[in-house]
Amino acid sequence: EAIIEFDDDNDEVTKTRIPKSYRSPSLDSYLRKKRTVSEARLTSEARKSGVPTPAVLDIDTHDFEIRTERIGSGIDLSESELGIDTDDAEEIGRYLAGLHSSGIAHGDPTTRNMVRSSDGDVYLIDFGLSYATRETEDFGMDIHVLRRTLEGTVSDSEEIIDAFWSGYSKTWDNAEEVYDQLKEIEGRGRYL
């Protein structure tokens, strides 16, 4: 959906939404502009609420671009040699709870959308599928996506998921409600 360019001289990243030829040009332009503005706004709102995200430096609605600061090497947690330990997982739990308590669902909270900075901290990136919500279902889906990702990529996933829940529940009073919703979501996919 986008082209990502790294400017090593200025430690910046530019994300440009590309046109979709199957859409009418006017609809395509409208959607790319709307999604560019929404992503920049939600990334900034998440950062203001204490969730580590790249700072939005500029937005160009004519060329459908967002320019942000570059975090560390740009290597996401799925490719990181360090992997994810329980401290990272607890930190991610705090961040996702902070995002949810602020009324934002990430939409794609996978290890591909988490980057380790040069000082070792984890940042959430790519708010392209994010949206404002207060629905417990949406927060449960976020966690379902993360949980499935961890189960498929981390060898000690149960320990990592427990650490995630520890951070999440310590940060947000509604954690139990979201946990119950997650169980309902996961139950829908099971057949006897």
Side-chain angles (χ1 to χ4, degrees), residues 47-170:
R47 187 176 175 88
K48 286 177 190 170
S49 69
V51 176
T53 69
V56 175
L57 304 173
D58 191 26
I59 179 172
D60 181 339
T61 57
H62 182 265
D63 290 327
F64 314 104
E65 292 180 347
I66 300 172
R67 191 168 44 88
T68 66
E69 71 175 326
R70 183 173 182 174
I71 304 299
S73 64
I75 296 175
D76 62 59
L77 293 187
S78 72
E79 298 174 343
S80 171
E81 291 177 11
L82 298 175
I84 299 174
D85 61 22
T86 54
D87 290 338
D88 293 332
E90 189 166 341
E91 192 173 48
I92 292 164
R94 288 194 308 271
Y95 297 160
L96 214 52
L99 202 62
H100 292 169
S101 66
S102 297
I104 301 170
H106 187 278
D108 192 21
T110 65
T111 52
R112 287 209 164 285
N113 290 326
M114 299 172 190
V115 175
R116 191 178 307 281
S117 68
S118 53
D119 60 5
D121 293 332
V122 174
Y123 282 68
L124 300 184
I125 62 169
D126 194 357
F127 283 71
L129 296 177
S130 299
Y131 53 99
T133 184
R134 291 287 176 188
E135 296 295 324
T136 305
E137 170 84 8
D138 298 328
F139 305 142
M141 282 303 297
D142 257 5
I143 295 171
H144 176 67
V145 169
L146 177 61
R147 185 177 176 134
R148 294 297 302 253
T149 299
L150 293 173
E151 288 172 347
T153 59
V154 178
S155 60
D156 53 348
S157 63
E158 284 186 41
E159 184 180 358
I160 297 297
I161 291 167
D162 287 346
F164 165 84
W165 274 115
S166 175
Y168 192 90
S169 61
K170 288 177 188 174

Side-chain angles (χ1 to χ4, degrees), residues 9-79:
D9 295 332
N10 296 311
D11 280 335
E12 296 175 357
V13 177
T14 301
K15 178 178 183 177
T16 307
R17 282 190 161 72
I18 57 175
K20 302 292 185 188
S21 60
Y22 57 83
R23 292 191 290 228
S24 75
S26 60
L27 176 62
D28 184 68
S29 179
Y30 168 79
L31 289 174
R32 287 192 295 148
K33 180 178 180 179
K34 182 179 177 182
R35 290 174 181 167
T36 299
V37 170
S38 177
E39 181 175 0
R41 181 179 54 80
L42 291 170
T43 302
S44 294
E45 285 181 20
R47 187 176 175 88
K48 286 177 190 170
S49 69
V51 176
T53 69
V56 175
L57 304 173
D58 191 26
I59 179 172
D60 181 339
T61 57
H62 182 265
D63 290 327
F64 314 104
E65 292 180 347
I66 300 172
R67 191 168 44 88
T68 66
E69 71 175 326
R70 183 173 182 174
I71 304 299
S73 64
I75 296 175
D76 62 59
L77 293 187
S78 72
E79 298 174 343

